[in-house]
Amino acid sequence: MTLVAGIDSSTQSCKVIVCDADTGEFVREGRAPHPDGTEVDPQAWAAALDNAIAAAGGLDDVAAVSVGAQQHGMVCLDDAGTVVRPALLWNDTRSADAAAQLVDDLGGPDAWADAVGVVPLAAITVSKLRWLADSEPANADRTSTVCLPHDWLGWQLTGRSDLGTLATDRGDASGTGYFSAATDSYRPDLLSLALRGRTAAVPRVARPAERIGETRWGAAVGPGTGDNAAAALALDAQEGDVVVSVGTSGVVSAVSVTPANDPGGFVAGFADATGRQLPLVCTLNAARVLDATASLLGVDHEELSRLALSAPSGSGGLVMVPYFEGERTPNRPNATGSVHGLRLANSTPAHLARAAVEGLLCGLADGIDHLIAQGVTVRRILLVGGGARSQALCELAPAIFGAPVLVPQPAEYVAIGACRQAAWTLAGTPEPPQWDQTSTQRYEADPAPEVRERYSFVRR
């Protein structure tokens, strides 16, 4: 049996899985936590990766490995390849004003949508670089190379020979704000604009499934990709598939052959890991809405689901707008969560639980609408991520989305996607290996448009 490994370096933890390269059959896994916070020393990711590899029984027997990781994180390196400052993560909103400045500097959102298919928001790397240039000019001066979390970890795996060996893929590069997925090229002028005239090197963009180097034990290292592209690869998403991922962030994405161009900034023109497009909508608030509501009610997630399913549709007029960490879609980085429509009759744990689940789903349903406005055809909706373990979320999603929902069995899809890419790199074939897809459970319900109408009214 030939083994391959996939790494998921997410916001909260590092997961490593080992699979059979030919069939995708799971063999073993390991994991380790990441520090809390919205800025992290990349060395903490490296330490977590070492711990996760050890927990997985080591990787000396794997023939190829690839990395999927959280997108947008700003990793700045000096001439020697030393990290200049802790990496700013996607969910760090201090760059919100910098994003607005950049939009104006280029001439408005239309100009950014035309240039790279992405309108800067606080989450996007280009905005964080403008914040660096304005807030920490000395660190901006020291920065000679800018990369992303997956780029940096892949570089660690290949031995950090020199900065010229840094590599990324178009899936992750497309989330920076200075790479166009439509033209498959960097925009160094936009990078310089962000850095107030400074210049910085960026990783070369590897081809899908290209071998970018080898580990110290001789395993091939695939190009890696961003977490959303890795999950789409794991699910073998095709045109017409809309993937709704409920993790630390909420993500609605769809495989397409047409680049997105949304001056409104709702849909980001990202790329996938196979050479196609992956138009994507991201929210800051997702599974942790369920965590926070369960904590508020003093219950576990199973009881939260039971409570939510015991309340009526629409929560008796109670509406939660769950902007607990600000919001990215719509762009309201300084917003807070709110509850509307409290009355004596709906002031119960069950109503609040239902309102939390419905509010979370309404935000994701808005994302599906934004994709449809970009020409995406919805053939089926796949619900994944940690939040998909919530029975209430699964059962209520079809009513809010207005379409049947398929829920694949819970799995680490980012790590599986990285594993599949590693197997593809090893095989050297034009297309990824065909692995048996996981079984799915289908959920259906009568549409409940009135729930979304009420949500839209109160969150304006």
Side-chain angles (χ1 to χ4, degrees):
M1 179 189 295
T2 301
L3 300 179
V4 291
I7 296 163
D8 172 15
S9 183
S10 71
T11 311
Q12 296 176 310
S13 64
C14 181
K15 283 84 69 177
V16 175
I17 67 167
V18 177
C19 293
D20 182 326
D22 295 323
T23 66
E25 180 184 355
F26 172 85
V27 176
R28 60 182 191 268
E29 68 177 337
R31 63 183 62 219
H34 283 160
D36 291 332
T38 61
E39 67 171 30
V40 173
D41 183 346
Q43 294 297 338
W45 299 331
L49 176 57
D50 287 342
N51 291 336
I53 289 174
L59 298 183
D60 288 350
D61 57 346
V62 306
V65 60
S66 199
V67 180
Q70 56 179 305
Q71 292 192 258
H72 314 310
M74 180 190 75
V75 182
C76 297
L77 306 176
D78 66 14
D79 289 333
T82 302
V83 174
V84 170
R85 71 167 326 278
L88 293 189
L89 307 189
W90 62 274
N91 55 352
D92 192 302
T93 59
R94 74 185 77 178
S95 50
D97 290 342
Q101 292 170 11
L102 281 170
V103 172
D104 291 341
D105 287 351
L106 197 64
D110 283 29
W112 281 95
D114 290 341
V116 290
V118 176
V119 179
L121 300 171
I124 306 299
T125 316
V126 73
S127 304
K128 300 180 186 305
L129 290 170
R130 170 57 68 87
W131 175 89
L132 181 75
D134 289 346
S135 301
E136 299 179 355
N139 283 334
D141 289 341
R142 287 183 57 206
T143 298
S144 68
T145 301
V146 179
C147 62
L148 301 169
H150 120 253
D151 312 339
W152 187 83
L153 282 169
W155 191 50
Q156 306 304 301
L157 285 172
T158 56
R160 298 180 40 139
S161 56
D162 62 69
L163 286 169
T165 62
L166 267 168
T168 189
D169 89 310
R170 58 192 296 276
D172 213 4
S174 63
T176 61
Y178 45 85
F179 178 90
S180 168
T183 63
D184 282 345
S185 61
Y186 280 116
R187 287 289 302 265
D189 57 320
L190 300 183
L191 182 60
S192 180
L193 178 69
L195 288 169
R196 299 289 190 189
R198 299 172 179 86
T199 59
V202 290
R204 71 175 184 86
V205 180
R207 300 183 305 276
E210 179 184 340
R211 181 189 295 238
I212 64 168
E214 291 186 351
T215 65
R216 58 172 174 75
W217 63 89
V221 179
T225 192
D227 49 5
N228 299 300
L233 185 60
L235 293 165
D236 197 26
Q238 304 295 323
E239 284 189 76
D241 289 342
V242 173
V243 180
V244 179
S245 176
V246 185
T248 305
S249 61
V251 176
V252 182
S253 61
V255 172
S256 173
V257 296
T258 305
N261 186 317
D262 181 11
F266 298 111
V267 179
F270 291 174
D272 80 344
T274 70
R276 297 173 295 183
Q277 308 298 320
L278 192 72
L280 180 149
V281 178
C282 183
T283 68
L284 283 181
N285 299 277
R288 286 191 287 190
V289 173
L290 305 180
D291 295 341
T293 306
S295 177
L296 182 66
L297 295 175
V299 299
D300 60 18
H301 281 275
E302 184 177 351
E303 178 63 8
L304 183 74
S305 277
R306 190 196 68 77
L307 287 168
L309 292 172
S310 72
S313 177
S315 308
L318 190 67
V319 179
M320 178 184 289
V321 181
Y323 295 169
F324 293 169
E325 297 186 288
E327 190 44 79
R328 169 173 168 173
T329 307
N331 185 25
R332 298 177 184 175
N334 299 315
T336 57
S338 57
V339 176
H340 301 259
L342 271 170
R343 294 182 177 276
L344 290 175
N346 62 22
S347 300
T348 72
H351 286 87
L352 184 62
R354 178 102 181 197
V357 176
E358 289 181 339
L360 168 57
L361 288 168
C362 283
L364 296 170
D366 288 345
I368 295 174
D369 286 349
H370 290 311
L371 289 183
I372 292 172
Q374 286 289 305
V376 169
T377 299
V378 181
R379 181 170 62 90
R380 47 178 203 161
I381 296 175
L382 301 170
L383 184 64
V384 299
R389 291 180 170 87
S390 163
Q391 189 63 29
L393 199 80
C394 294
E395 291 193 25
L396 301 186
I400 305 300
F401 294 163
V405 171
L406 297 177
V407 182
Q409 64 186 35
E412 298 293 349
Y413 285 104
V414 175
I416 292 171
C419 241
R420 190 177 181 214
Q421 188 191 65
W424 189 13
T425 298
L426 194 63
T429 52
E431 298 294 332
Q434 290 302 307
W435 288 355
D436 290 338
Q437 295 300 300
T438 59
S439 60
T440 60
Q441 185 165 354
R442 183 181 177 93
Y443 290 87
E444 298 186 42
D446 292 333
E450 68 281 358
V451 176
R452 289 193 61 198
E453 290 169 3
R454 172 70 175 155
Y455 177 85
S456 297
F457 177 78
V458 303
R459 68 141 168 81
R460 286 187 297 181

